[in-house]
Amino acid sequence: MHTCSSLGISTMKPCRILIGFKSSSMFGTIASPKLKYKRIGRFSKLEPNGCKITGSVQVVDNLSRRCICFSNGYRLYKGSNDRNRCLIANVASDFRNQSTSSESYVKQKSFDTIYINGGFKVKPLEIESIETGHDIVKEDKKVSEVEGLGSLKGSNYSRVEREVSKIEKEAWDLLRNSVVFYCGHPVGTVAANDPADSQPLNYDQVFVRDFIPSALAFLLNGEEEIVKNFLLHTLQLQSWEKTVDCYSPGQGLMPASFKVRSQPLDGSDGAFEEVLDPDFGESAIGRVAPVDSGLWWIILVRAYGKITGDYTLQERVDVQTGIRLILNLCLTNGFDMFPTLLVSDGSCMIDRRMGIHGHPLEIQALFYSALRCSREMLIVNDSTKNLVVELNNRLSALSFHIREYYWVDKNKINEIYRYKTEEYSSDAVNKFNIYPEQIPSWLVDWIPEEGGYFMGNLQPAHMDFRFFTLGNLWSIVSSLGTPKQNEGILNLIEAKWDDLVANMPLKICFPAMEYEEWRIITGSDPKNTPWSYHNGGSWPTLLWQFTLACIKMGRPEVARNAIAVAEKKLSIDRWPEYYDMRSARLIGKQSRLFQTWTIAGFLTSKLLLENPEKASLLFWEEDYDILQNCICALSKGNGNKCSRHRQHPKP
């Protein structure tokens, strides 16, 4: 198992430790000090019988992320080679937090020397031996008293004092009760926290996609430490090598989720160890690796910098490398001819068999957003300039492809209805050989006169005309759609309010698959019966993304209407994961209660409306540099012009 790590001192809390150095560091060789021991950072003086630790900084191949905890509050970190690494939790649990900005190393091109197959070369301090007596330096404060989010367990956790309604107060209490701690520090929130649930399955884990609304709620409320911890710990997990039937997925893959496990330590009396156990899909239903986790992670890194104003996190060498690993994984050339990402069923929020394999809109919208984030955050130097060029080209090709071929409105339906098939040439109008008979009967009467949307999927001889909410909302947020198309999506949602919002916003997709189609495509999935779960169920967590899209388009009143609908039921219904039936009148038949991203989505929606200036930091406007770089082969063929240039020429 490989990992990326950085060497330095925790900013969380001072502690006391003496360590000897004798080998090279990440940024060059450290000469052996003259003294036997060297004091690090702001550590206070040792007691007369203090901890004596002999050891060195070493490069190791394997690393287990384990924290050994004693009843007196001490922490001991244990490596996979059964030699002990001794660091106080406030230091070791945040050891990735120690790298400095990569900016100062750009001129030295140290990024190239750091970026190796398998991640960073430098690991945490390797302890050769621990003398008996006072084996580990005692912390100056209890974990709960550590500055920042260490006080989360207490009553004075919120940094931003603001008046809230009764339902908001309940939501904040539930959100904070869902926080997961690793070695005394908050690192995320569980997926659901229902005290009456005796079989939580994997809902007691921290999911990357589920934590996004929680992270934004904390950031918008001035509580950033938990988000920083989450970003750095998931970055640690990125380089783990997980296998399914002796096969390892691509390097750079982010886990779908992780769990903090506590287990007794063999051979030690009263000690236990905390282990971060990630799931890359090898334990998931269907064994599908998450495509969206890395994309969400990049989006959250940008959001952290934008909201807090602290850009040092995204400039760190390890974070820059993490971004590059994800981009390399996504931008790898393959057999696919399209600029969209080719993925399997179950690789995103719709994590079960639902016929979205291929090029689903949700992944393309998140991919485009992550590319735009990376374009802002990547430090350009000799080692990244080629990646930046590739990134820009992909942005241009992807935006053209989605805008031109995924868009559906009344005019496009008429065009598809009159398609000729079996066209063979670069001048073909029906480039994907779509048969007009694929137009579903419900669509012609459902599409409004004014408005449209991006269809759910596009492949050779196949168009999935279902409306997928998440992909369309992120097309607005990221400006994947043109301003006119973005307006059309909101127009459609308003026109079809009873179908998409009804008694609980918002439908994850519309319409549901029924009868023989449901049996064939879902495999008769009992959880995805018509108008349930991913098959037309209503998901309150989509509320925050809808709110962000409405704010961007200057229509916050539409979001307020949706929030008002949700506010009437969420608390009474105990914050369900999803709702069933076409009208969303019933709580989902297998819905978890006290679902964290339902709670956080509601809070984030409220905070976005209260802070539109902060909301504006989370979306993108049209980027004319991308338009300028548009590679549009159509202009050389049948005279068609790229829709972006037709509708929005550069001023």
Side-chain angles (χ1 to χ4, degrees):
M1 295 179 289
H2 302 289
T3 187
C4 303
S5 67
S6 301
L7 179 64
I9 306 306
S10 171
T11 58
M12 281 188 174
K13 180 181 184 294
C15 58
R16 299 172 295 179
I17 193 169
L18 294 179
I19 298 178
F21 290 82
K22 69 177 183 182
S23 74
S24 61
S25 76
M26 185 185 343
F27 304 119
T29 301
I30 299 178
S32 300
K34 296 180 181 180
L35 299 177
K36 182 178 180 181
Y37 299 107
K38 182 179 178 67
R39 179 167 297 177
I40 301 178
R42 298 186 294 130
F43 295 169
S44 56
K45 296 179 180 179
L46 289 174
E47 299 295 333
N49 295 322
C51 172
K52 294 182 180 180
I53 302 175
T54 60
S56 62
V57 182
Q58 294 187 0
V59 176
V60 293
D61 293 328
N62 297 311
L63 173 66
S64 281
R65 296 158 181 82
R66 298 182 178 183
C67 170
I68 304 168
C69 308
F70 295 90
S71 58
N72 57 7
Y74 300 150
R75 299 290 188 270
L76 179 66
Y77 286 79
K78 185 173 183 295
S80 59
N81 57 2
D82 291 329
R83 290 184 297 174
N84 292 333
R85 295 183 180 90
C86 173
L87 290 176
I88 303 303
N90 295 341
V91 176
S93 66
D94 195 34
F95 68 86
R96 286 291 297 270
N97 191 23
Q98 317 317 331
S99 71
T100 59
S101 168
S102 63
E103 186 174 0
S104 59
Y105 300 100
V106 169
K107 295 181 181 179
Q108 302 173 13
K109 301 182 181 179
S110 61
F111 208 160
D112 287 328
T113 63
I114 296 168
Y115 178 62
I116 61 173
N117 185 26
F120 287 98
K121 293 190 285 187
V122 175
K123 309 304 180 196
L125 300 177
E126 182 79 1
I127 302 305
E128 302 291 351
S129 64
I130 302 177
E131 296 186 9
T132 58
H134 293 272
D135 288 338
I136 302 175
V137 180
K138 189 174 182 180
E139 301 176 70
D140 294 333
K141 297 180 183 179
K142 294 181 180 178
V143 170
S144 62
E145 296 173 348
V146 177
E147 58 182 310
L149 290 197
S151 60
L152 184 114
K153 294 179 179 177
S155 59
N156 297 322
Y157 167 56
S158 177
R159 294 185 183 179
V160 178
E161 297 296 335
R162 38 188 293 274
E163 293 185 4
V164 296
S165 63
K166 183 178 179 181
I167 185 174
E168 287 179 82
K169 184 180 184 304
E170 176 191 347
W172 276 115
D173 290 341
L174 292 171
L175 180 60
R176 291 184 176 122
N177 287 335
S178 72
V179 170
V180 173
F181 289 83
Y182 174 59
C183 294
H185 297 289
V187 293
T189 51
V190 294
N193 192 29
D194 183 1
D197 189 356
S198 59
Q199 293 183 320
L201 300 178
N202 60 348
Y203 282 79
D204 62 351
Q205 298 184 21
V206 180
F207 280 80
V208 173
R209 74 175 68 95
D210 290 42
F211 182 68
I212 302 301
S214 296
L216 292 178
F218 285 128
L219 288 175
L220 292 169
N221 202 45
E223 307 169 29
E224 68 274 1
E225 196 67 24
I226 185 174
V227 182
K228 185 175 183 179
N229 291 345
F230 169 84
L231 290 170
L232 294 174
H233 278 293
T234 49
L235 183 59
Q236 280 181 263
L237 301 175
Q238 181 189 31
S239 295
W240 282 56
E241 292 180 355
K242 288 287 184 174
T243 61
V244 177
D245 296 336
C246 303
Y247 180 77
S248 298
Q251 187 186 45
L253 182 69
M254 281 289 185
S257 63
F258 65 85
K259 182 180 178 66
V260 179
R261 300 187 185 277
S262 297
Q263 54 193 31
L265 182 64
D266 294 339
S268 293
D269 184 20
F272 63 91
E273 59 182 355
E274 287 185 350
V275 181
L276 283 182
D277 185 12
D279 179 9
F280 289 85
E282 75 278 3
S283 300
I285 293 176
R287 302 302 189 265
V288 178
V291 177
D292 61 341
S293 291
L295 307 178
W296 279 121
W297 184 85
I298 290 177
I299 291 169
L300 185 57
V301 171
R302 175 187 181 267
Y304 178 88
K306 286 287 187 178
I307 294 177
T308 65
D310 176 14
Y311 295 98
T312 58
L313 178 72
Q314 68 188 44
E315 294 170 351
R316 290 167 46 131
V317 177
D318 51 352
V319 173
Q320 289 280 310
T321 302
I323 294 172
R324 290 178 60 181
L325 287 173
I326 296 170
L327 291 179
N328 287 336
L329 185 62
C330 293
L331 296 174
T332 299
N333 293 327
F335 292 99
D336 199 14
M337 293 294 293
F338 309 136
T340 43
L341 276 183
L342 178 63
V343 299
S344 59
D345 251 343
S347 61
C348 54
M349 180 180 175
I350 299 176
D351 57 5
R352 294 168 79 96
R353 180 178 170 185
M354 273 287 292
I356 63 167
H357 58 281
H359 306 86
L361 176 66
E362 174 178 329
I363 291 296
Q364 314 317 320
L366 292 176
F367 181 37
Y368 185 78
S369 302
L371 290 178
R372 293 201 65 173
C373 290
S374 302
R375 191 166 177 252
E376 293 179 29
M377 295 188 296
L378 273 179
I379 296 174
V380 182
N381 53 48
D382 289 343
S383 64
T384 61
K385 61 183 181 182
N386 290 335
L387 180 61
V388 172
V389 171
E390 186 177 358
L391 188 155
N392 284 327
N393 289 338
R394 191 62 165 265
L395 275 169
S396 176
L398 180 61
S399 59
F400 167 72
H401 187 83
I402 297 295
R403 292 177 176 189
E404 197 72 22
Y405 302 122
Y406 276 64
W407 181 251
V408 179
D409 57 14
K410 185 177 179 182
N411 292 334
K412 186 62 176 288
I413 294 173
N414 269 303
E415 178 184 329
I416 298 172
Y417 184 68
R418 297 173 61 83
Y419 267 169
K420 295 179 181 180
T421 58
E422 315 303 328
E423 293 183 295
Y424 179 82
S425 74
S426 59
D427 298 332
V429 174
N430 185 3
K431 286 181 166 50
F432 301 94
N433 200 35
I434 303 299
Y435 300 104
E437 289 77 12
Q438 289 187 27
I439 300 175
S441 57
W442 61 266
L443 179 61
V444 177
D445 294 328
W446 190 74
I447 196 83
E449 290 291 330
E450 297 293 332
Y453 65 100
F454 290 110
M455 71 178 72
N457 210 331
L458 175 64
Q459 300 183 74
H462 173 70
M463 282 182 167
D464 186 345
F465 287 96
R466 286 176 291 176
F467 176 88
F468 286 87
T469 302
L470 181 60
N472 275 279
L473 293 180
W474 272 95
S475 296
I476 296 175
V477 171
S478 65
S479 285
L480 177 55
T482 67
K484 184 177 179 179
Q485 288 171 338
N486 294 340
E487 284 287 349
I489 294 170
L490 284 187
N491 289 341
L492 179 137
I493 293 175
E494 280 200 284
K496 299 300 173 182
W497 191 267
D498 290 342
D499 289 329
L500 302 177
V501 177
N503 292 284
M504 179 57 63
L506 289 142
K507 280 277 184 292
I508 192 170
C509 69
F510 182 92
M513 292 184 292
E514 300 180 285
Y515 310 115
E516 194 66 20
E517 182 185 30
W518 166 75
R519 283 190 287 272
I520 293 173
I521 293 182
T522 73
S524 300
D525 185 350
K527 197 169 184 178
N528 272 325
T529 53
W531 307 109
S532 178
Y533 201 44
H534 297 310
N535 190 15
S538 295
W539 293 70
T541 188
L542 293 171
L543 194 60
W544 74 267
Q545 294 158 101
F546 180 58
T547 302
L548 188 59
C550 290
I551 293 174
K552 179 189 174 181
M553 301 308 297
R555 296 161 72 172
E557 70 284 351
V558 180
R560 289 192 181 95
N561 293 337
I563 293 172
V565 171
E567 201 162 6
K568 294 177 182 178
K569 297 179 63 178
L570 285 179
S571 177
I572 296 173
D573 293 340
R574 294 174 293 172
W575 307 93
E577 179 183 13
Y578 63 94
Y579 285 78
D580 282 352
M581 307 308 292
R582 183 165 184 153
S583 60
R585 287 188 177 275
L586 299 180
I587 298 173
K589 59 185 174 183
Q590 296 189 43
S591 172
R592 289 303 195 275
L593 302 180
F594 300 103
Q595 184 80 12
T596 303
W597 71 350
T598 296
I599 297 164
F602 170 76
L603 289 173
T604 300
S605 299
K606 287 280 193 177
L607 290 167
L608 288 172
L609 286 175
E610 292 176 11
N611 302 277
E613 71 288 348
K614 290 185 178 179
S616 66
L617 301 174
L618 300 176
F619 55 71
W620 296 262
E621 299 295 346
E622 184 75 285
D623 188 327
Y624 291 102
D625 287 337
I626 296 177
L627 304 189
Q628 188 69 26
N629 294 331
C630 178
I631 304 170
C632 186
L634 291 176
S635 62
K636 301 177 182 179
N638 57 15
N640 290 345
K641 301 293 182 181
C642 172
S643 61
R644 297 172 299 176
H645 291 297
R646 284 203 307 264
Q647 300 178 42
H648 307 286
K650 188 173 181 178

